[in-house]
């Protein structure tokens, strides 16, 4: 048994669990830094009476010590109980779980397009190093990489919604009252924003890694054996360039999940990001805490998968102990 590999896996899992614990503690403290009476006023309004404040605080157990409330909230969260919204009174899971699925689907679609296009462009440019095409495309990728997600989203919204009128102005309304096709259309612009956000970084790393692979001896040997250019490019050069790509793809997947918050809000997409912004604005403690923790769980899960793939691809760890 490869004990060295198991040790590395255990260390990665332990570090990610510690990260989750720290995120939960920081999130809870930030959301509960105000006095219980101030939390009540932020939800009920400034004109609320003292008896109403006292009833609100007692009903939501805000008068308990902070550590006791944190321990109770974490115990419930681990069991899958996200509590009830202090604004609507509805179970938080009823609003969060459905929106989480939409946001994950949106991030997955955008990541799939962005990663695929980035790899294809990177391999394309690696075959044309120093050419005018390489210079123009690399310059364009650098400009695109310097743009934040909200600027990319605004540009797409301005062109395809305002000027061309190809997409609905409010994705949430189309999603709620439209048919299956109308719902599918609402994914296009948000997913395109995420794809354009990821593509430049993937393309630049793919270009550099593939260029290095093309200059290697095993690629020259493959050509001397009479293999086709397609086999040389994909079966030899790109396969050996995959290790640095896995790392940057993992980082960009995390970037895509975090970027969903801005993209959801910008396009009015009924995902978890838009709900997070609304819950923060209304002072909804339990909904905000649940959303932040769910985002953290998804990001940590991505990190764990990337770490495991990187460990598996590392020949020194994979072959150790054999």
């Amino acid at each position: 048994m490869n004990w060295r590999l198991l040790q590395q896996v255990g260390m990665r899992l332990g570090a990610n669990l510690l990260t989750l614990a720290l995120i939960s503690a920081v999130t809870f403290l930030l959301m509960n830094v105000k006095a219980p009476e101030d939390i009540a006023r932020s939800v009920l309004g400034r004109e609320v009476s003292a008896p109403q404040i006292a009833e609100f605080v007692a009903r939501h157990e805000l008068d308990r010590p902070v550590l006791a409330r944190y321990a109770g909230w974490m115990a419930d969260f681990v069991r899958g109980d996200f509590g009830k919204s202090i604004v609507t009174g509805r179970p938080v899971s009823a609003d969060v779980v459905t929106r989480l699925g939409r946001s994950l689907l949106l991030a997955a679609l955008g990541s799939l397009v962005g990663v695929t296009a980035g790899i294809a462009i990177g391999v394309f440019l690696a075959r044309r190093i120093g050419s005018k095409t390489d210079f123009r495309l690399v310059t364009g990728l650098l400009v695109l990489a310097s743009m934040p997600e909200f600027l990319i989203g605004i540009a797409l919204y301005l062109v395809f919604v305002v000027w061309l009128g190809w997409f609905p102005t409010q994705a949430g309304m189309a999603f709620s009252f439209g048919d299956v096709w109308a719902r599918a259309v609402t994914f296009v612009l948000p997913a395109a924003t995420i794809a354009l956000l990821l593509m430049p970084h993937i393309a630049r790393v793919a270009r550099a890694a593939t260029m290095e692979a093309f200059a290697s001896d095993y690629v020259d040997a493959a050509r001397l054996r009479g293999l086709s250019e397609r086999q040389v490019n994909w079966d030899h050069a790109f396969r050996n360039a995959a290790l640095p790509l896995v790392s940057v793809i993992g980082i960009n997947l995390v970037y895509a999940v975090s970027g969903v918050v801005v993209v959801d809000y910008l396009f009015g997409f009924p995902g978890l990001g838009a709900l997070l912004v609304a819950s923060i604005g209304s002072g909804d403690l339990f909904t905000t805490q649940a959303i932040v923790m769910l985002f953290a769980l998804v990001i940590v899960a991505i990190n764990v998968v990337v770490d495991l793939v990187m460990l598996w691809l590392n020949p020194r760890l994979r072959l150790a102990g054999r």
Side-chain angles (χ1 to χ4, degrees), residues 4 81 83 224 291 299:
R4 187 182 175 191
D81 181 7
L224 291 175
I291 294 174
I299 291 173

Side-chain angles (χ1 to χ4, degrees), residues 253-266:
L253 289 179
V254 171
Y255 198 17
V257 173
S258 60
V260 163
V261 177
V262 176
V263 173
D264 282 355
Y265 183 74
L266 180 62

Side-chain angles (χ1 to χ4, degrees), residues 267-291:
F267 289 98
F269 185 81
L272 206 56
L275 181 60
L276 176 61
V277 175
S279 64
I280 292 175
S282 63
D284 194 341
L285 301 180
F286 299 125
T287 302
T288 303
Q289 291 166 185
I291 294 174

Side-chain angles (χ1 to χ4, degrees), residues 31-116:
M31 293 305 301
N32 291 270
V33 68
K34 296 191 296 185
E37 293 76 12
D38 293 333
I39 295 174
R41 289 191 183 93
S42 67
V43 175
L44 301 177
R46 292 295 173 183
E47 304 302 323
V48 66
S49 64
Q52 289 176 314
I53 291 178
E55 190 274 334
F56 181 91
V57 170
R59 174 157 42 95
H60 296 288
E61 300 181 341
L62 299 178
D63 51 349
R64 297 172 60 201
V66 173
L67 289 179
R69 282 190 284 142
Y70 171 72
W73 170 66
M74 277 303 298
D76 291 338
F77 185 87
V78 171
R79 293 195 299 267
D81 181 7
F82 301 158
K84 291 185 178 181
S85 168
I86 63 175
V87 175
T88 65
R90 287 166 46 86
V92 173
S93 58
D95 297 322
V96 165
V97 173
T98 301
R99 287 174 174 261
L100 175 63
R102 297 171 189 164
S103 292
L104 291 180
L105 178 58
L106 176 61
L109 291 173
S111 300
L112 178 63
V113 175
V115 170
T116 304

